Amino acid sequence: MFDKSSLSFRFTLLVLLSMTLASGALYMLSLDVYKSEVQNRARTVSDNVNDFGAWVSQYGRVWVKDTDSGSHLSEQKYVELKNIKPVGEILAEEDLGKVATFYSKNPALAQREFSEVVAKSESKAKFRMTSDNYMNPANQPDSFEKEAIRAIKAGKLDEYGEFSQTEYRYARTLLVKDSCLKCHGEASSAPRDVIDRYGSANGFGFKAGEVAGIISVRVPVEFSPLTLAKGVSSKTWVALSLLVFVIVLPILFVRSAVVKPVRVLTELAEQVSTGRKVDLNDLVIDEKSGNEIHQLALSIKRISASINIMMSRLRSK
Ligand code: HEC
């Protein structure tokens, strides 16, 4: 059955080989699509962080009431009243107890709190802001981030990314704008509350147009044949099962249209060659058939007929 030199064995082997090559190509293709999807996800995250920072920047800082997360620039106390009272009105005795505290957040602080919320969330892509001249030691860059900042500065890049086996790390360039300088310019002219909180040693001396730092994003890479299979929809499974027919049908065709008739003809030719009297008159084949196997059968039939004629001539002599 598994004669290595048989046509059907070789053909099946060829089909299997082509299938393996096709699967390999498909795998590489999906890996590529997956990678660019991961890259786009990292880009989207940094776009969102940028946009969120821009929202805070519209107001310079935002103020949050009562709940202090531990990080804020300054603190202000306001009187919270049941009804809005005209400015200048003297507060009643009972309103004096209703004092609320507000805390201010600048863009980077708000972005850091945003990143902490995302870090705790279900979201797979995590981010943070960092710089080689960082104000907050908690934002100190790690080795990838240092390398990203170096490459961005050297190549004047907008972004930088690296894939490892387990994750994609991405950096989006943050340029210094004029609006950044009131805090990151000279330490001597920085707001009092910034100096009070962060000191005057780091995070200052920026110039407009320079690289201020990066938004650093990490997205896990979860690509394996298993995750690939899990992500496949039921429609794709139907399409893949149809593909199995694409593979099986040619094998069946070659078996029935080539291999089997060739076996029968081989048997016949062998009988003719051993001089046994074979009656090939039952073999009715259209002379004009375009099927190569039919033509081969016709030739064998003619050979057999000539041999029969020669034999009877010999016998009659
Ligand atoms: C109102 C003052 C203020 C302004 C304006 C401001 N920053 Fe900052 N920036 C800060 C503070 C404060 C921190 C530290 C926040 C923290 O604790 O995480 C910071 C942190 C950062 C960080 C993270 C690394 C570090 O230094 O800790 C980057 C990057 C950064 N800022 C870039 C910018 C850019 C770019 C702009 C202008 C688009 C800007 N900042 C405008 C005050 C400011």
Side-chain angles (χ1 to χ4, degrees):
M1 178 80 188
F2 288 113
D3 183 350
K4 279 188 191 149
S5 56
S6 84
L7 274 183
S8 60
F9 179 80
R10 286 188 176 187
F11 186 68
T12 312
L13 208 66
L14 183 79
V15 169
L16 287 178
L17 186 73
S18 319
M19 251 170 69
T20 316
L21 290 178
S23 317
L26 207 68
Y27 185 82
M28 271 153 60
L29 206 72
S30 359
L31 182 62
D32 226 40
V33 172
Y34 178 81
K35 276 187 168 179
S36 75
E37 205 229 308
V38 165
Q39 275 171 322
N40 281 335
R41 198 186 297 178
R43 286 192 185 111
T44 309
V45 168
S46 49
D47 286 343
N48 290 348
V49 175
N50 249 339
D51 296 343
F52 176 62
W55 176 75
V56 181
S57 298
Q58 273 179 16
Y59 310 105
R61 344 173 134 190
V62 290
W63 293 86
V64 298
K65 199 185 105 189
D66 282 343
T67 38
D68 177 23
S69 59
S71 52
H72 55 263
L73 286 182
S74 55
E75 184 180 312
Q76 300 271 345
K77 295 206 182 300
Y78 287 92
V79 177
E80 185 185 44
L81 300 170
K82 271 201 208 90
N83 305 307
I84 296 165
K85 308 245 164 147
V87 176
E89 187 172 318
I90 311 268
L91 294 176
E93 191 72 22
E94 74 258 33
D95 289 334
L96 286 178
K98 298 176 193 130
V99 169
T101 310
F102 284 79
Y103 301 95
S104 78
K105 317 271 180 184
N106 61 300
L109 251 179
Q111 279 165 320
R112 182 151 65 81
E113 288 190 15
F114 177 29
S115 99
E116 283 159 6
V117 171
V118 173
K120 286 191 206 117
S121 78
E122 300 264 293
S123 166
K124 293 216 163 127
K126 311 290 182 195
F127 72 89
R128 68 187 208 124
M129 320 274 292
T130 181
S131 168
D132 52 353
N133 180 7
Y134 49 86
M135 209 170 246
N136 184 347
N139 298 333
Q140 192 172 347
D142 65 18
S143 58
F144 162 78
E145 290 159 341
K146 275 186 199 146
E147 172 56 21
I149 295 169
R150 191 204 58 75
I152 282 170
K153 283 185 171 171
K156 297 197 185 336
L157 309 174
D158 295 335
E159 56 176 10
Y160 178 85
E162 260 175 31
F163 273 97
S164 76
Q165 286 296 74
T166 52
E167 66 177 353
Y168 177 59
R169 299 214 47 186
Y170 173 84
R172 169 72 60 87
T173 309
L174 288 171
L175 294 178
V176 181
K177 296 181 200 144
D178 289 333
S179 67
C180 316
L181 295 177
K182 62 176 178 281
C183 295
H184 291 286
E186 291 317 312
S188 52
S189 56
R192 190 72 260 147
D193 50 10
V194 171
I195 301 291
D196 285 348
R197 199 179 162 84
Y198 299 93
S200 54
N202 299 310
F204 302 101
F206 286 23
K207 310 247 169 345
E210 279 180 0
V211 174
I214 54 169
I215 300 171
S216 166
V217 185
R218 45 202 327 160
V219 186
V221 169
E222 295 160 331
F223 190 85
S224 71
L226 199 72
T227 51
L228 191 65
K230 271 191 197 152
V232 170
S233 72
S234 54
K235 271 194 191 135
T236 313
W237 280 123
V238 173
L240 286 177
S241 341
L242 288 178
L243 267 183
V244 171
F245 281 101
V246 173
I247 292 150
V248 169
L249 287 179
I251 296 184
L252 291 180
F253 174 76
V254 168
R255 280 185 78 95
S256 76
V258 181
V259 177
K260 268 197 192 152
V262 166
R263 281 213 186 114
V264 172
L265 290 181
T266 312
E267 189 117 324
L268 283 177
E270 202 168 289
Q271 288 175 10
V272 172
S273 74
T274 54
R276 256 182 291 164
K277 184 137 180 63
V278 215
D279 186 10
L280 288 180
N281 289 329
D282 292 348
L283 206 60
V284 186
I285 295 166
D286 178 8
E287 301 258 340
K288 291 196 189 83
S289 167
N291 185 320
E292 292 84 348
I293 305 275
H294 290 172
Q295 292 305 325
L296 179 62
L298 278 175
S299 310
I300 292 178
K301 203 175 161 181
R302 279 186 216 111
I303 291 173
S304 161
S306 339
I307 290 178
N308 283 344
I309 294 168
M310 267 156 59
M311 293 301 267
S312 45
R313 270 191 201 152
L314 279 176
R315 271 193 216 105
S316 63
K317 275 193 182 165

